[in-house]
Amino acid sequence: MKVMVVGGGGREHALVKALAKNPDVTTLYALPGNGGIARDATCVDIAATDIAGMVAFAVDNEVDFAVVAPDDPLVLGAVDALEARGIACFGPNKRAAILEGSKVFSKDLMRRYGIPTAAYESFTELDAALAYLDTAPLPTVVKADGLALGKGVIIAQTRDEARVGVRAMMEDRVFGDSGSRVVIEEFLRGPEVSVLAFTDGDAMIPMVSSMDHKRALDGDNGPNTGGMGTVAPNPYYTPQLAARAMEEIFIPTMEAMNAEDRTFKGCLYFGLILTEDGPKVIEYNCRFGDPEAQVVLPLLSSDLLTTMQATARGELANVDVEFHDGAACCVVMASAGYPGAYESGFPIAVPEDLEAEVYVAGAKLVDGELTTGGGRVLGVTATGATLTEAVAKAYEQTARVTFDNAYFRRDIGAKALSAEGRS
Ligand code: AMP
Ligand code: GLY
């Protein structure tokens, strides 16, 4: 069976490695993949957003199944285009991917269907947004409506900061059309949890929970990044909260999308804050999180491809999705300077015995040698019987992966461990 993964980051590397475990998979393609993925799949130089290119490639190469991993091709309709040519796909179609593609859509959906989320107003006019900020409670959260490479959220402590953010989005269009509308919402307090779930519009199967570490520096300081590390499971997410989230958020979201004739098939990512009033949604993503996938997939004990195919066919209720009991930790190694300017082009040394646990994100093969080529270079994942063990092992392994200008946080998992009462 020929399987194609669209995307080229650490998440896609984790997907490729998990898909390769199915013995029916004879060929794995990654579009475009990266220098590290090239060890595990055939990388094809087609951009993840080149929909015509990926459809032509899939048809010409008789691809049996496609996994579209990143948000932008999903929002652009990659799944619709592939399915139109008879290629079975894992991922939501364009009508469903709007759940991530438009924050105004997702907030309005939650309001209409009574799904707990931060109180908000949305604006299409700059003056109205600025006027609202005169009285909005502080801190306040300003979000660009559309995709903005994870940078479209501003947590403003002051009215001026919020005004600057709104002007940058609506007037200067720093995120292009994504900023033509903005959401201004209530700041929620509480621990954050990421929950990825398989769903086909009929069944909803949450995966093991996780915790991202979005800020660049230790202690959750510094600028937001794509994610500097993850742990799973998330100790704040108790079985009681999971049951509540299932009943108040996950099932209602699935049913709301069905009712809107936007049935969501794929991986639905719930970004939650566990407030004093219960779990509330801060964001939906229409795909696996990065670097959440790098801790969730290594804990998956059942077959990923089988689940993905069942999801695509609308038969998810018939499969068992199972996870190991232990924990996982992923430490992201970045180029010093990220998320600002950084230098690239340094050779990366990964000891052979660690290759299975290293998920490469921003790296190229230069004369056959793996070389840094991005902000987030790679993630080192370790699993263990306990979170303590997984975190310790992840850091031991991280110390053995070397490249010039490497930077990583030293405290991935520290908050989770203290929540467990063990640090
Ligand atoms: P996003 O780009 O939507 O993932 O948001 C980035 C980060 O901003 C989230 O991971 C949260 O830490 C924070 N955030 C977003 N919305 C809120 C909110 N309403 N209240 C508190 N923090 C938020
Ligand atoms: N780690 C957050 C995301 O993938 O959006």
Side-chain angles (χ1 to χ4, degrees):
M1 192 173 170
K2 294 182 178 177
V3 178
M4 154 178 131
V5 173
V6 175
R11 164 185 55 205
E12 287 76 12
H13 201 179
L15 286 165
V16 159
K17 283 185 195 272
L19 290 164
K21 290 182 184 160
N22 184 307
D24 292 340
V25 175
T26 50
T27 310
L28 263 168
Y29 296 111
L31 281 61
N34 65 44
I37 293 176
R39 287 181 201 272
D40 300 291
T42 304
C43 293
V44 182
D45 191 15
I46 293 176
T49 47
D50 177 1
I51 293 180
M54 76 180 70
V55 171
F57 177 83
V59 170
D60 291 350
N61 292 278
E62 299 177 326
V63 166
D64 298 295
F65 194 72
V67 176
V68 182
D71 47 7
D72 31 7
L74 290 166
V75 170
L76 288 169
V79 166
D80 310 61
L82 287 161
E83 283 181 346
R85 298 298 302 273
I87 313 286
C89 288
F90 179 84
N93 63 18
K94 187 174 179 173
R95 283 183 61 77
I98 192 175
L99 201 53
E100 175 169 3
S102 167
K103 290 206 166 30
V104 175
F105 171 86
S106 66
K107 295 295 291 189
D108 289 350
L109 185 89
M110 289 187 269
R111 181 179 277 167
R112 269 202 307 284
Y113 291 88
I115 297 166
T117 186
Y120 74 102
E121 296 293 334
S122 62
F123 299 92
T124 48
E125 301 296 334
L126 176 67
D127 291 345
L130 292 174
Y132 176 76
L133 286 176
D134 288 341
T135 54
L138 293 173
T140 193
V141 184
V142 179
K143 299 184 172 183
D145 177 48
L147 299 181
L149 298 169
K151 294 184 187 133
V153 175
I154 293 167
I155 312 232
Q157 305 296 334
T158 65
R159 293 185 199 289
D160 270 347
E161 238 180 287
R163 289 184 190 115
V164 168
V166 163
R167 280 191 188 280
M169 287 176 194
M170 299 188 88
E171 205 169 45
D172 306 337
R173 295 294 172 100
V174 290
F175 306 119
D177 284 346
S178 287
S180 59
R181 297 193 288 182
V182 299
V183 168
I184 301 180
E185 71 177 23
E186 170 197 13
F187 178 76
L188 297 177
R189 287 169 212 277
E192 273 185 57
V193 182
S194 306
V195 183
L196 316 178
F198 291 108
T199 179
D200 61 357
D202 174 36
M204 166 67 66
I205 305 182
M207 297 176 230
V208 61
S209 63
S210 52
M211 184 193 290
D212 194 2
H213 297 68
K214 287 208 165 95
R215 302 296 200 92
L217 308 176
D218 284 6
D220 291 334
N221 292 307
N224 254 320
T225 69
M228 294 302 296
T230 32
V231 292
N234 184 322
Y236 289 102
Y237 193 63
T238 61
Q240 291 77 1
L241 287 171
R244 200 166 162 188
M246 186 72 170
E247 189 185 327
E248 296 177 6
I249 295 172
F250 304 166
I251 299 285
T253 300
M254 181 179 86
E255 289 176 346
M257 292 297 277
N258 288 341
E260 298 285 318
D261 193 19
R262 294 180 184 274
T263 292
F264 190 104
K265 287 185 181 190
C267 174
L268 181 42
Y269 171 129
F270 298 92
L272 307 178
I273 290 197
L274 306 175
T275 73
E276 280 180 355
D277 302 328
K280 294 191 180 178
V281 177
I282 47 166
E283 62 164 339
Y284 290 118
N285 291 327
C286 64
R287 50 171 174 88
F288 283 89
D290 186 342
E292 284 88 344
Q294 291 91 310
V295 285
V296 170
L297 293 174
L299 290 174
L300 182 70
S301 55
S302 52
D303 182 58
L304 177 63
L305 180 62
T306 305
T307 302
M308 288 184 154
Q309 288 177 301
T311 303
R313 286 196 300 262
E315 296 170 3
L316 181 60
N318 301 339
V319 301
D320 287 320
V321 179
E322 280 163 20
F323 288 87
H324 296 289
D325 283 334
C329 173
C330 174
V331 177
V332 169
M333 299 182 77
S335 302
Y338 171 77
Y342 54 82
E343 280 179 64
S344 288
F346 303 109
I348 305 169
V350 180
E352 220 166 287
D353 62 301
L354 293 188
E355 272 169 18
E357 280 86 34
V358 170
Y359 300 114
V360 176
K364 295 179 186 145
L365 283 176
V366 178
D367 299 330
E369 190 173 31
L370 196 62
T371 305
T372 64
R376 290 189 298 170
V377 173
L378 54 85
V380 182
T381 294
T383 55
T386 61
L387 192 55
T388 310
E389 214 179 290
V391 171
K393 204 168 136 198
Y395 275 104
E396 271 164 40
Q397 296 182 345
T398 298
R400 296 175 53 216
V401 176
T402 51
F403 55 89
D404 282 356
N405 277 13
Y407 167 76
F408 56 91
R409 272 180 64 165
R410 310 277 159 170
D411 67 342
I412 302 302
K415 204 172 177 181
L417 286 172
S418 67
E420 283 190 340
R422 286 201 208 141
S423 82

